[in-house]
């Protein structure tokens, strides 16, 4: 959430910045009407509250003297209804302003290029040289199906489209990738391994910005507790959301907390299932494992002091790059433009891995600095030793990396003419020493 001072005192300037960088249209006229009414009603409400307090003291004094209080009681009753109505209207106005504020995207960092979409992103550098094959390249679906390792038909029978069953050595390779990433980030990069819930509350989703804007992309569960059985049944009462990424529970660990300065930066990593409805991706990447309703990811989250968050962002991105380099996967690093960044981000680097079957780079990691945007929604703070006062932290998150897409990249980049797949050296210790799977 943006600083409410900007919304209250500089709505026109804020609207211009959002339009120029994010293409977002803020209705300033409606906002000004709400703000004007809020000020008027708030002043009147405070007047009535003060009057009520004054009269209450007067009633107490009269009673102490044994005098008649009926006239004063009648006066209090006379403005009591107005006070209730003013308080109720003030709540409605504040909720309307909060609804507008919660729908505003983060303002981009000054170093972010202005642009409309992915075509305006700026490449930072490339690592590795794509392999030259002397045989016809197969995509990950063909490679997996050839050995019965990757089975979309059975998954569709079980759950519907955009799910996959993995078997045998490919399932083990998938597991090996996750274990390798966790070990790298905990042993070499100093992240604390954290196991988090896959079901979270609406407050947690609001804290990181998934709600209310992206509700259609989330899977919800409905819990009926009336019978005491705990059975999941369809009711009208939403209970929990399946996480789209472990960024949500990891970041919300500091919700409503004041973190000691000595603990910052707080670095956490988690390997988890992720669930996305992919409501806006109809017809895109329907083949194989590129875009699934259920997938696994190793997530990186940092909670940092504001003055350290830019350096922490560069460090986090470098940690994700190291995963790809140790796996020997060619990739490129891209700075996203204002029109391609996520809702909560103020600056994002994407890492795109080379996929031979598509003859292009595809996203495998996004690393974002959200500034104090999420922290303000969560009221996540740290105590600044210089002032002794609580201040908002900065939150950062990144994929370190998406396990399924890493599996795809390994399969395609390490494929052999006979359909076998060479196991990258970094993974062989997790694969019982195997050099190939076939």
């Amino acid at each position: 959430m943006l600083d409410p001072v900007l919304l209250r005192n500089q709505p026109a300037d804020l609207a211009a910045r959002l339009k120029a960088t994010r293409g977002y249209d803020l209705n300033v006229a409606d906002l000004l009407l709400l703000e004007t009414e809020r000020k008027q009603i708030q002043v009147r409400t405070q007047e009535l509250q003060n009057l009520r307090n004054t009269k209450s003291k007067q009633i107490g004094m009269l009673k102490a003297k044994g005098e008649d209080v009926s006239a004063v009681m009648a006066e209090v009753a006379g403005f009591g209804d107005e006070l209730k109505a003013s308080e109720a209207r003030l709540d409605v106005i504040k909720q309307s302003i909060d609804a507008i504020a919660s729908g505003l995207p983060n303002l981009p960092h000054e170093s972010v290029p202005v642009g409309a979409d992915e075509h305006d992103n700026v490449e930072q550098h490339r690592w590795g040289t794509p392999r030259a094959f002397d045989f016809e390249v197969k995509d990950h679906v063909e490679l997996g199906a050839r050995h019965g390792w990757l089975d979309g038909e059975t998954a569709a029978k079980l759950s519907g489209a955009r799910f996959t069953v993995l078997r045998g050595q490919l399932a083990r390779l998938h597991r090996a990738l996750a274990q390798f990433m966790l070990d790298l980030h905990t042993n070499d990069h100093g992240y604390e391994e954290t196991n988090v819930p896959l079901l979270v509350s609406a407050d947690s989703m609001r804290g990181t910005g998934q709600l209310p804007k992206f509700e259609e992309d989330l899977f919800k569960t409905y819990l009926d507790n009336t019978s005491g059985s705990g059975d999941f049944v369809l009711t009208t009462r939403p209970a929990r959301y399946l996480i789209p990424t472990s960024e949500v529970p990891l970041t919300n660990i500091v919700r409503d907390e004041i973190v000691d300065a000595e603990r910052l930066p707080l670095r956490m990593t988690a390997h988890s299932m992720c669930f996305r409805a992919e409501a806006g991706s109809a017809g895109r990447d329907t083949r194989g494992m590129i875009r699934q309703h259920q997938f696994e990811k190793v997530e990186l989250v940092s909670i940092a002091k504001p003055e350290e968050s830019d350096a922490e962002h560069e460090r986090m991105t470098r940690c994700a790059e190291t995963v790809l380099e140790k796996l020997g996967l060619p990739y490129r690093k891209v700075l996203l433009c204002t029109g391609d960044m996520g809702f909560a981000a103020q600056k994002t680097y994407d890492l795109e891995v080379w996929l031979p079957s598509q003859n292009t780079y595809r996203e495998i990691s996004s690393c974002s600095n959200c500034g104090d945007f999420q922290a303000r929604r969560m009221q996540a703070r740290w105590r600044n030793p210089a002032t002794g006062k609580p201040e908002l932290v900065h939150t950062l998150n990144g994929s370190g990396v998406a396990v399924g897409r890493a599996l795809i990249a390994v399969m395609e980049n390490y494929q052999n003419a006979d359909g076998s797949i060479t196991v990258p050296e970094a993974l062989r210790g997790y694969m019982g020493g195997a050099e190939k799977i076939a």
Side-chain angles (χ1 to χ4, degrees):
M1 186 174 292
L2 298 176
D3 188 341
V5 174
L6 291 175
L7 199 62
R8 188 179 303 121
N9 298 336
Q10 304 173 42
D13 290 343
L14 178 59
R17 291 175 66 186
L18 287 171
K19 181 64 176 178
T21 59
R22 292 286 204 162
Y24 184 93
D25 290 310
L26 173 61
N27 192 323
V28 177
D30 285 353
L31 182 61
L32 289 175
L33 285 174
L34 285 169
E35 186 60 27
T36 299
E37 187 179 2
R38 181 196 66 78
K39 290 178 180 177
Q40 293 172 344
I41 294 181
Q42 188 161 305
V43 169
R44 180 55 180 162
T45 300
Q46 290 174 343
E47 290 175 350
L48 293 169
Q49 289 170 339
N50 291 334
L51 182 59
R52 179 187 60 188
N53 294 338
T54 300
K55 294 299 180 181
S56 295
K57 291 179 181 178
Q58 184 180 356
I59 291 170
M61 293 172 62
L62 291 173
K63 285 184 176 180
K65 296 176 181 179
E67 298 180 14
D68 182 23
V69 298
S70 57
V72 182
M73 292 286 285
E75 188 178 355
V76 172
F79 64 74
D81 289 342
E82 182 185 355
L83 176 58
K84 289 180 181 178
S86 293
E87 289 174 335
R89 179 57 185 164
L90 189 60
D91 284 343
V92 170
I93 294 172
K94 286 181 177 179
Q95 289 173 14
S96 298
I97 294 174
D98 286 345
I100 292 173
S102 65
L104 299 179
N106 202 353
L107 289 170
H109 190 272
E110 58 185 11
S111 63
V112 174
V114 176
D117 53 35
E118 61 184 13
H119 298 98
D120 297 316
N121 295 339
V122 179
E123 183 176 309
Q124 305 294 290
H125 66 77
R126 298 188 181 196
W127 183 92
T129 302
R131 175 183 167 190
F133 292 86
D134 57 5
F135 57 88
E136 185 178 351
V137 171
K138 297 179 177 61
D139 69 9
H140 72 284
V141 179
E142 294 175 286
L143 289 166
R146 182 170 181 172
H147 303 286
W149 291 334
L150 192 156
D151 187 348
E153 291 185 6
T154 298
K157 178 180 71 173
L158 298 174
S159 305
R162 295 187 188 267
F163 291 91
T164 301
V165 170
L166 297 179
R167 295 190 180 93
Q169 294 183 80
L170 192 63
R172 183 173 183 177
L173 185 59
H174 184 267
R175 172 163 54 91
L177 280 162
Q179 291 177 311
F180 157 71
M181 294 175 201
L182 279 178
D183 286 347
L184 178 64
H185 294 314
T186 55
N187 296 335
D188 294 5
H189 299 155
Y191 288 84
E192 180 181 40
E193 184 172 352
T194 312
N195 193 293
V196 292
L198 301 182
L199 286 166
V200 297
S201 66
D203 285 342
S204 293
M205 286 293 190
R206 278 190 287 268
T208 44
Q210 276 74 26
L211 287 179
K213 185 175 178 60
F214 301 106
E215 183 153 10
E216 67 173 8
D217 288 323
L218 303 172
F219 285 107
K220 290 188 289 186
T221 65
Y222 297 85
L223 179 62
D224 180 14
N225 280 331
T226 57
S227 65
S229 65
D231 294 334
F232 283 91
V233 298
L234 187 61
T235 72
T236 58
R237 185 157 55 94
R240 298 289 184 266
Y241 290 82
L242 287 165
I243 61 170
T245 164
S246 54
E247 168 205 342
V248 177
L250 286 174
T251 309
N252 272 277
I253 286 174
V254 296
R255 174 161 51 93
D256 297 322
E257 299 282 342
I258 300 177
V259 184
D260 291 336
E262 296 75 21
R263 296 179 63 199
L264 301 177
L266 181 61
R267 298 177 178 130
M268 299 170 281
T269 184
H271 166 226
S272 75
M273 292 285 187
C274 306
F275 304 89
R276 297 184 185 177
E278 297 288 357
S281 63
R284 293 169 55 199
D285 295 317
T286 56
R287 181 174 168 81
M289 296 176 60
I290 292 288
R291 196 177 296 274
Q292 299 270 279
H293 289 312
Q294 174 186 307
F295 59 97
E296 296 179 37
K297 188 149 66 87
V298 172
E299 186 75 4
L300 305 175
V301 163
S302 292
I303 311 298
K305 299 174 185 177
E307 65 269 21
E308 296 177 353
S309 70
D310 286 341
E312 187 68 14
H313 188 206
E314 299 293 332
R315 181 189 187 278
M316 174 182 284
T317 306
R318 182 64 199 139
C319 291
E321 289 180 85
T322 303
V323 173
L324 302 178
E325 290 174 12
K326 286 187 174 293
L327 291 173
L329 297 172
Y331 71 90
R332 68 173 190 159
K333 176 183 173 182
V334 176
L335 175 61
L336 299 194
C337 71
T338 56
D340 199 31
M341 283 198 310
F343 176 79
Q346 68 174 24
K347 184 174 182 178
T348 299
Y349 291 116
D350 268 9
L351 302 182
E352 299 177 349
V353 70
W354 178 258
L355 293 186
S357 69
Q358 299 184 16
N359 197 39
T360 192
Y361 293 92
R362 294 297 304 269
E363 179 201 336
I364 194 169
S365 172
S366 281
C367 297
S368 299
N369 185 353
C370 298
D372 60 13
F373 186 83
Q374 293 177 325
R376 184 172 286 106
R377 299 169 81 104
M378 298 186 300
Q379 280 303 290
R381 295 165 291 171
W382 70 295
R383 193 173 299 280
N384 189 335
T387 63
K389 297 180 180 179
E391 299 176 10
L392 294 172
V393 297
H394 280 195
T395 62
L396 304 94
N397 64 82
S399 305
V401 295
V403 181
R405 292 198 177 189
L407 179 68
I408 293 170
V410 167
M411 292 172 69
E412 294 197 4
N413 283 279
Y414 283 90
Q415 64 180 290
N416 301 305
D418 61 0
S420 65
I421 297 166
T422 299
V423 177
E425 288 188 17
L427 300 179
R428 291 176 186 175
Y430 300 94
M431 294 290 293
E435 296 184 2
K436 288 184 180 181
I437 60 172

